[in-house]
């Protein structure tokens, strides 16, 4: 029964490309956005698509747990680093936060 999945997926913006809206409201804590929910969503979507790309909040934001949960449950991650936006200590904290997560590469913007 994938009715819950059908409610999340928006109509195709281009043939073969679909968008999932996170909905409205705020993520107040990790208990409302956890690995089990994300893994279930990824497994459900994986039956119908070849690739899932998730745009997440910055790892330096107060919503970094959202990015971390998605990263922990994905096959690989690409980090976007905005030039001049981070100090060395910020990047070191992000690196420590991502220990054990599969990083495929970086994009320097």
């Amino acid at each position: 029964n994938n009715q819950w999945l059908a409610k999340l997926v928006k109509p195709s913006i281009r043939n073969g490309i679909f968008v999932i809206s996170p909905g409205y409201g705020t993520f107040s804590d990790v208990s409302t956005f956890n690995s089990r929910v994300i893994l279930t969503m990824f497994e459900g979507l994986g039956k119908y698509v070849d690739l899932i790309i998730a745009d997440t909040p910055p790892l330096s934001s107060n919503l970094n747990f959202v990015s971390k949960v998605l990263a922990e449950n994905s096959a690989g991650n690409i980090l976007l680093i905005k030039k001049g936006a981070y100090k060395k200590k910020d990047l070191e904290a992000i690196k420590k936060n991502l220990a054990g997560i599969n990083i495929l590469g970086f994009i320097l913007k």
Side-chain angles (χ1 to χ4, degrees):
N1 183 353
N2 289 320
Q3 291 179 9
W4 65 271
L5 193 57
K7 290 178 183 179
L8 290 174
V9 178
K10 301 298 178 193
S12 179
I13 57 173
R14 200 157 218 216
N15 191 21
I17 298 176
F18 304 92
V19 175
I20 296 176
S21 172
Y24 299 99
T26 59
F27 294 117
S28 57
D29 69 311
V30 180
S31 67
T32 59
F33 190 86
N34 59 51
S35 293
R36 186 175 89 345
V37 170
I38 296 305
L39 193 56
T40 301
M41 184 181 73
F42 281 173
E43 287 174 352
L45 289 171
K47 295 174 185 175
Y48 305 101
V49 299
D50 297 323
L51 179 66
I52 300 169
I53 298 173
D55 183 16
T56 64
L59 288 164
S60 60
S61 77
N62 61 343
L63 292 175
N64 65 359
F65 67 88
V66 172
S67 303
K68 184 147 187 200
V69 168
L70 284 167
E72 289 170 341
N73 290 284
S74 66
N77 299 274
I78 299 172
L79 300 180
L80 175 66
I81 306 290
K82 187 174 180 182
K83 185 178 178 184
Y86 297 99
K87 296 183 186 311
K88 183 178 179 180
K89 67 178 177 116
D90 297 329
L91 292 173
E92 288 171 349
I94 289 171
K95 180 181 174 185
K96 182 179 178 183
N97 191 29
L98 295 177
I101 292 175
N102 187 18
I103 305 295
L104 300 175
F106 298 89
I107 297 174
L108 182 59
K109 179 179 176 187

